[in-house]
Amino acid sequence: MSSIGKLMKQAARMQQQMEEIQAQLAARTVEATSGGGAVKVVARCDGTLASIKVDPQALNPADAQLVEDMILTATNQALAQAKDISNKEMGKVTSGFNLPGLT
């Protein structure tokens, strides 16, 4: 088989693996909290949010800015964890295959 044929076969196999991993990542979640657990954010490893929970005790109208900051902090932490997992899983598929945009 020609080297271009081998390359095409390898690329097709890698694409299938990447699609499988993306489906798995969409089902996998991570959780982050802030404010001592007053805010909990669950993110999927495909970069989307699954849920945001706020402890009712943290909902004093005078503390709105604080609650907003806690939500932002927990959201960013959860999304960072999700992105890290996604990068590691996708990196397993693309390692050793040097094509622009697949690293």
Side-chain angles (χ1 to χ4, degrees), residues 21-68:
I21 289 173
Q22 286 171 337
Q24 292 170 0
L25 290 172
R28 191 170 174 184
T29 61
V30 294
E31 180 180 302
T33 62
S34 67
V39 174
K40 179 174 85 171
V41 174
V42 178
R44 292 181 196 92
C45 293
D46 67 354
T48 61
L49 295 179
S51 67
I52 298 175
K53 302 284 185 202
V54 179
D55 183 342
Q57 299 286 335
L59 295 177
N60 180 343
D63 294 333
Q65 181 66 47
L66 177 62
V67 174
E68 290 169 356

Side-chain angles (χ1 to χ4, degrees), residues 32 34 39 41 43 49 52 70-80:
S34 67
V39 174
V41 174
L49 295 179
I52 298 175
M70 288 188 297
I71 291 170
L72 186 61
T73 298
T75 300
N76 284 332
Q77 289 174 357
L79 290 175

